[in-house]
Amino acid sequence: LLVILLGTFFLSLTENFNVSELFFEAVSAAGTVGLSFGVTSKLSEIGKFIEICLMFIGRISPLILGLAFLNTMRLPSVNDR
């Protein structure tokens, strides 16, 4: 959630669009959904870079969280019997 809010904040600093449209774009990018209000094609280079970062974070975060969860689970080994 913090990543989406920060992405929306940085997009609002660099772009002249409605904040609700930028928020939708940030949520869509972080969720790697592919939905858009048509704002993405009109973003500046900095705005597109922010969107790319949000997409990358949205794609990698579930994998990192899943690996962290699996690492905390301890499977019984043969020596534990």
Side-chain angles (χ1 to χ4, degrees):
L1 184 62
L2 181 63
V3 172
I4 294 170
L5 293 176
L6 285 174
T8 304
F9 174 72
F10 289 127
L11 283 172
S12 67
L13 291 178
T14 61
E15 308 300 326
N16 289 327
F17 292 103
N18 190 350
V19 175
S20 63
E21 292 176 337
L22 294 175
F23 179 73
F24 183 84
E25 295 291 326
V27 170
S28 176
T32 61
V33 177
L35 298 175
S36 177
F37 275 136
V39 174
T40 305
S41 61
K42 300 172 188 170
L43 293 176
S44 65
E45 296 298 319
I46 296 171
K48 288 179 183 176
F49 180 73
I50 294 169
E51 286 278 313
I52 290 169
C53 290
L54 286 171
M55 289 178 199
F56 184 74
I57 291 169
R59 185 67 180 157
I60 299 299
S61 292
L63 178 64
I64 291 173
L65 289 174
L67 289 174
F69 178 72
L70 285 176
N71 195 23
T72 59
M73 291 177 41
R74 186 169 178 259
L75 298 175
S77 65
V78 176
N79 295 334
D80 288 342
R81 291 184 197 187

